[in-house]
Amino acid sequence: MAGVKLEGVAKHFKGAVAVAEFNLDIKDGEFLVLVGPSGCGKSTTLRMVAGLEEPTYGRIMIGNKDVTKLEPKDRDIAMVFQDYALYPHMNVYHNLAFGLKLRKMPKNEIEERVKMAAEILSISHLLERYPRQLSGGQRQRVALGRAIVRNPQVFLMDEPLSNLDAKLRVQMRAELVKLQRRLKTTTIYVTHDQTEAMTMGDRIVVMKDGHIQQVGTPEEIYHEPANLFVADFVGSPSMNFLEGELCTEEGCTWFKAQGIRVNLRNNLNLAELNENKVVLGIRPEDVYLHRPFQDKVCEELLCQTELIEDLGSEKIVFLKIEGQELQARLRDGAAPVTVGGNTPAYLNLNKVHLFRKSTGKKIL
Ligand code: ATP
């Protein structure tokens, strides 16, 4: 097995930058997820690692080998696509065996590998069937099986679950992670779905407009977003954002907007910041509607309750304060609130994020 290294890798299409300088060291055995909105360059990045797209600049290493100029078949990778790309005229056995036959592997070894992959994926009973006789989930497994039999150094997966219905997707998500942990094969996985990224990746790369926005574990990405884009992209419902200004009073830094004053219990050097227009971010679960226990340092804001979404195990309460919106996530058991009234909202100051308005970069 091997890690993958991208060094200054970029891709330009007729002068347009699809992927800007991309530097990343993916560890041996790691499950790395590339995530971002449509067109951010994640598939192009994956295709460059696969050898399906030639980088305009940079170098790609798999293990200690420079593969930048190698054909896909010489890179020791296996790719799983969104549409599975199964051969319709071959049964499952031959779909699994085909790549190995091309490599002129002895018949008994092919049989052994196909059997083992089929067992791992619980599709041994489907080997005689043709793709048209399989459900979406079963086809997906066969596509994975074709990657597994190759026993490659790296799996490359481009939205492999996106054609499955929501329930099956969640189930396959967990199965895929278990499978990867078992095989310990370095995996690069592309998705536009932040939940998939958060639940599957050892590390996540968040991309936008061809640029890496942040690389980190799911915890780091969620709790310490590097900028407004990442803060907004990850989490459902998304982080709340209030626009305002910073000022210093009584030796403390305050966030102020019309009708809102938040003592940040911090002393930021505003001269050094060189900008006082900011966006304050706080996740819905860090906004409480009832005075929390004393160990939580909170700021109280008086809000209007506009709407309550009851999701069964939790409620999302939509609040308004001086034209700005705020959502609070209430766990089951929290005392009820009513729509249309005024309610105090308590912001947990240990969980407040602060970003520059101009660039979106994190301040706090
Ligand atoms: P999606 O989730 O929609 O697949 P993505 O994040 O994978 O998006 P890419 O497919 O990598 O994005 O595309 C990145 C950018 O490069 C887009 O602006 C796209 O239009 C452009 N692009 C991709 N392939 C080509 C190509 N062969 N020729 C020209 N432009 C391309």
Side-chain angles (χ1 to χ4, degrees):
M1 279 193 297
V4 178
K5 216 183 242 180
L6 290 100
E7 296 173 349
V9 172
K11 180 69 188 178
H12 299 183
F13 289 111
K14 292 197 183 113
V17 179
V19 178
E21 195 179 311
F22 195 107
N23 290 293
L24 191 68
D25 208 340
I26 303 161
K27 295 184 214 82
D28 184 9
E30 188 172 13
F31 196 126
L32 183 105
V33 179
L34 300 178
V35 70
S38 184
C40 71
K42 47 197 191 298
S43 292
T44 303
T45 305
L46 194 77
R47 290 168 61 80
M48 287 194 282
V49 178
L52 299 172
E53 211 72 76
E54 195 185 330
T56 312
Y57 305 110
R59 186 163 85 133
I60 298 172
M61 308 281 292
I62 296 183
N64 293 324
K65 195 163 157 192
D66 183 344
V67 300
T68 321
K69 301 273 177 218
L70 292 187
E71 291 290 312
K73 66 176 175 47
D74 299 324
R75 293 191 179 201
D76 205 1
I77 48 114
M79 196 149 173
V80 183
F81 296 95
Q82 180 175 344
D83 59 6
Y84 318 144
L86 301 181
Y87 302 111
H89 58 289
M90 290 184 197
N91 67 15
V92 170
Y93 180 92
H94 290 294
N95 260 288
L96 294 177
F98 186 69
L100 305 180
K101 273 190 204 156
L102 278 188
R103 284 176 168 70
K104 309 224 172 348
M105 189 177 277
K107 203 171 165 212
N108 56 348
E109 196 179 335
I110 293 180
E111 256 181 52
E112 212 171 281
R113 286 203 188 193
V114 169
K115 258 194 190 163
M116 197 194 289
E119 251 165 57
I120 290 175
L121 293 161
S122 313
I123 52 170
S124 305
H125 60 297
L126 303 174
L127 290 174
E128 299 297 323
R129 291 214 201 156
Y130 287 83
R132 65 175 182 280
Q133 298 169 313
L134 301 173
S135 70
Q138 290 167 336
R139 267 182 230 154
Q140 169 51 245
R141 268 171 228 215
V142 178
L144 281 175
R146 280 210 314 207
I148 292 174
V149 290
R150 300 258 312 278
N151 192 21
Q153 303 232 52
V154 183
F155 287 139
L156 303 175
M157 305 194 183
D158 196 349
E159 309 241 10
L161 306 183
S162 60
N163 281 341
L164 304 178
D165 67 46
K167 198 166 169 206
L168 195 55
R169 202 155 62 217
V170 172
Q171 188 188 327
M172 284 301 292
R173 196 162 86 193
E175 281 190 27
L176 228 159
V177 171
K178 280 192 265 174
L179 179 70
Q180 199 270 347
R181 299 243 190 288
R182 175 169 171 189
L183 300 174
K184 296 191 179 68
T185 307
T186 311
T187 301
I188 309 179
Y189 186 101
V190 161
T191 180
H192 64 272
D193 179 339
Q194 57 97 17
T195 312
E196 220 167 88
M198 293 293 281
T199 51
M200 298 180 84
D202 293 320
R203 271 192 312 160
I204 299 173
V205 177
V206 183
M207 294 179 71
K208 182 192 166 211
D209 298 337
H211 292 264
I212 295 182
Q213 302 295 303
Q214 189 171 1
V215 182
T217 62
E219 290 75 18
E220 285 163 351
I221 299 279
Y222 190 79
H223 294 291
E224 297 157 41
N227 58 35
L228 263 178
F229 176 80
V230 176
D232 192 28
F233 188 74
V234 171
S236 174
S238 351
M239 188 183 277
N240 293 297
F241 297 114
L242 299 172
E243 291 195 12
E245 292 184 355
L246 291 181
C247 63
T248 307
E249 274 175 26
E250 303 149 18
C252 264
T253 309
W254 289 73
F255 169 87
K256 285 187 180 176
Q258 198 185 352
I260 305 174
R261 283 170 57 86
V262 179
N263 182 345
L264 295 170
R265 311 287 204 279
N266 213 311
N267 193 2
L268 296 173
N269 186 337
L270 297 192
E272 218 168 70
L273 271 181
N274 205 14
E275 174 179 9
N276 69 348
K277 292 219 183 316
V278 292
V279 178
L280 181 150
I282 186 156
R283 295 217 178 265
E285 60 268 34
D286 301 318
V287 178
Y288 317 121
L289 296 191
H290 299 91
R291 191 178 291 283
F293 294 118
Q294 301 242 314
D295 61 330
K296 294 211 168 94
V297 185
C298 289
E299 186 73 48
E300 181 179 335
L301 300 176
L302 191 63
C303 300
Q304 290 85 51
T305 321
E306 297 227 302
L307 179 76
I308 301 172
E309 262 182 16
D310 194 341
L311 304 175
S313 62
E314 62 183 27
K315 292 185 176 65
I316 309 298
V317 182
F318 292 73
L319 305 160
K320 203 143 214 182
I321 176 164
E322 299 288 343
Q324 303 213 51
E325 285 167 10
L326 203 58
Q327 292 179 25
R329 171 185 247 153
L330 304 188
R331 295 287 172 203
D332 208 15
V337 281
T338 46
V339 177
N342 287 337
T343 182
Y346 301 88
L347 310 193
N348 183 345
L349 292 178
N350 289 323
K351 299 294 176 83
V352 157
H353 303 263
L354 214 53
F355 305 97
R356 287 175 186 272
K357 172 105 190 297
S358 56
T359 60
K361 274 208 176 124
K362 178 190 171 87
I363 300 171
L364 199 66

